[in-house]
Amino acid sequence: MSVAPLQAAHPVPYGQLVPVTVHFDDLDALGMLHNSRYPLLAERAWAEYWHGQGFGFDGDWAAAGDMCNVIKEMRVSYERPVTRPGHYAAHLWVERLGRTGLTYGFRLCSADGTETYAQGHRVLVRVDAQTLRPTPWSDRARAIAGELLRPADPDGGTGTEADAA
């Protein structure tokens, strides 16, 4: 299954909006999206995005290619609570594309991309299936990731909402 990018009334200036769904059982006892669900929704959105680009994992690490990667770091900043089930979006982009590493940025937001509920990043390292040592991304993965690169901020920052705080 592949999810088409959202066509927002206010398109995002970079990256891609991918639809995500919050279900009733994702809410905690206070009626808010449980803190562990925010990164889970981002992970699922990234998986859908890459699946839609023809990348997948069928259980064979040797054949996984670029999908054979590990998370080195993940950071999430919770901006405001999601208080009801429904349709939302994950705004996805690439902050940095290295030889073996890749830093993804994400925002969990309203379906139209205008309201931010959480934002963060994760750092991936592509690894060789046999040695588990870092190995370069393929040219194909680099080209696709390059399409999601966030433009550089002329002031030297990343330009995220967190930078303004």
Side-chain angles (χ1 to χ4, degrees), residues 4 18 41 46 48 79 81 90 120 123 135:
V18 175
L41 290 171
W46 276 114
E48 287 295 329
E79 307 299 328
V123 178
T135 193

Side-chain angles (χ1 to χ4, degrees), residues 4-89:
L6 290 172
Q7 300 301 318
H10 306 283
V12 291
Y14 55 86
Q16 190 112 158
L17 282 180
V18 175
V20 297
T21 301
V22 172
H23 299 276
F24 176 77
D25 60 354
D26 292 324
L27 305 180
D28 65 15
L30 296 174
M32 295 185 285
L33 183 62
H34 190 275
N35 64 5
S36 68
R37 298 298 193 186
Y38 290 83
L40 178 67
L41 290 171
E43 293 283 332
R44 288 179 178 167
W46 276 114
E48 287 295 329
Y49 176 80
W50 283 107
H51 179 78
Q53 300 298 318
F55 291 84
F57 175 69
D58 64 4
D60 180 0
W61 285 112
D66 292 292
M67 296 306 282
C68 188
N69 57 67
V70 294
I71 296 176
K72 180 178 179 180
E73 173 184 308
M74 185 162 199
R75 180 189 59 81
V76 180
S77 174
Y78 302 94
E79 307 299 328
R80 57 189 291 209
V82 170
T83 58
R84 66 176 69 138
H87 299 287
Y88 296 86

Side-chain angles (χ1 to χ4, degrees), residues 91-153:
H91 176 195
L92 310 176
W93 66 88
V94 172
E95 292 180 1
R96 181 186 166 284
L97 177 57
R99 190 174 78 80
T100 63
L102 175 69
T103 303
Y104 287 131
F106 66 88
R107 280 187 318 125
L108 271 290
C109 55
S110 56
D112 65 2
T114 59
E115 295 180 57
T116 299
Y117 298 100
Q119 60 186 328
H121 74 257
R122 74 177 182 166
V123 178
L124 291 178
V125 177
R126 180 168 183 226
V127 296
D128 178 270
Q130 299 300 315
T131 66
L132 299 181
R133 300 292 304 154
T135 193
W137 299 103
S138 70
D139 290 341
R140 181 169 170 255
R142 293 182 65 73
I144 292 168
E147 293 174 9
L148 294 178
L149 271 172
R150 178 186 198 142
D153 182 0

